[in-house]
Amino acid sequence: MNRLMLSIAAACFLVSLIAVTAGAEIFGDYVGYTACAECHSDIVEGWKSTPHANAFEDLKRQGEEKQSVPGCVRCHVVGMDEDGGFIDMELTPELRDVQCEACHGPGRAHVESQDSKDILGKPGEDACRVCHTEGQDKNFDYKAKSRLVHGEK
Ligand code: HEC
Ligand code: HEC
Ligand code: HEC
Ligand code: HEC
């Protein structure tokens, strides 16, 4: 290979690296609930009947503009302050509402491996308290409420 060919090959490699890195920012570790449906369809259907599945739309009850106030949106979407989580409705509409990954953590690795050690199997009270804070939900009762997260069974 001559020198020109080598530098073209090197340039191509660099460009592909940049493309991969850029992709990782948008398509991060959060995949959205539709990626879970293939294997957990009953739970997905049950979850859809809960208030969590409507949490983004419900922001409007206190005014349409609330859907673009970060201080409100934060607890009504998936992973807003996390890498690869909700940014806004233009970039990440599929991560609106309080979905599976808001409690179970980012799901990409588990979707690929189907291994239970790649996902949080039993989100504890601390997982809820990120949003059900003292200020927001004073009488939050983990034991009673955690039975309702996948819908009534
Ligand atoms: C391709 C199939 C598949 C997909 C897609 C999938 N899972 Fe799973 N999931 C499994 C299997 C299989 C198990 C059981 C693994 C075991 O018993 O070791 C499991 C187990 C789990 C568990 C229980 C883990 C435990 O410790 O008991 C949770 C929680 C879970 N999945 C959540 C999710 C979420 C959230 C998504 C979407 C982001 C998802 N899964 C997508 C196949 C899948
Ligand atoms: C710290 C997390 C958090 C923040 C920030 C937050 N919410 Fe919520 N929101 C919750 C939780 C948890 C619930 C459910 C428990 C409850 O009803 O108090 C809820 C419930 C709601 C509901 C449904 C209650 C009903 O009418 O049935 C609306 C509407 C709402 N929030 C709007 C807002 C608006 C508007 C803002 C910004 C001013 C906001 N939220 C900020 C966590 C939060
Ligand atoms: C609001 C929090 C929350 C949301 C949202 C949520 N889960 Fe769970 N999930 C839990 C908790 C808590 C448990 C443990 C229940 C127990 O064993 O007491 C659990 C258990 C599980 C399990 C293992 C036990 C079982 O019931 O089979 C699977 C699988 C699972 N969730 C999948 C999902 C999927 C898929 C979604 C989205 C459609 C989802 N979860 C949404 C909190 C949540
Ligand atoms: C990302 C933020 C977030 C997390 C994490 C979260 N919730 Fe919620 N939860 C909300 C919001 C927002 C609502 C209100 C939805 C609405 O009415 O639009 C809500 C509503 C509920 C409701 C229905 C209203 C009520 O108070 O009865 C239950 C039950 C509930 N959450 C249980 C849980 C449990 C249990 C966990 C942890 C395993 C959890 N949530 C984790 C944000 C969250």
Side-chain angles (χ1 to χ4, degrees), residues 2-127:
N2 66 30
R3 218 176 259 170
L4 177 65
M5 294 266 292
L6 265 181
S7 47
I8 289 172
C12 288
F13 178 66
L14 274 182
V15 166
S16 67
L17 263 191
I18 291 164
V20 167
T21 326
E25 275 169 35
I26 299 171
F27 305 105
D29 291 339
Y30 289 94
V31 292
Y33 77 89
T34 54
C36 317
E38 181 190 343
C39 309
H40 300 289
S41 57
D42 290 355
I43 297 181
V44 170
E45 287 313 308
W47 166 80
K48 279 188 184 166
S49 71
T50 70
H52 280 149
N54 231 13
F56 189 78
E57 186 63 23
D58 284 346
L59 281 170
K60 281 190 187 164
R61 284 193 210 156
Q62 292 178 27
E64 195 128 357
E65 75 288 355
K66 294 294 196 290
Q67 288 189 331
S68 35
V69 176
C72 296
V73 171
R74 195 160 65 79
C75 299
H76 290 246
V77 297
V78 177
M80 177 142 151
D81 302 321
E82 313 285 331
D83 249 9
F86 182 89
I87 300 167
D88 61 32
M89 283 301 277
E90 298 254 296
L91 291 169
T92 55
E94 71 284 359
L95 295 179
R96 70 183 180 279
D97 301 321
V98 181
Q99 304 181 19
C100 326
E101 294 169 295
C103 296
H104 291 285
R108 184 176 300 281
H110 169 72
V111 165
E112 280 160 15
S113 70
Q114 300 163 41
D115 194 323
S116 52
K117 73 176 184 309
D118 288 330
I119 191 109
L120 183 58
K122 192 176 171 162
E125 178 160 359
D126 52 336

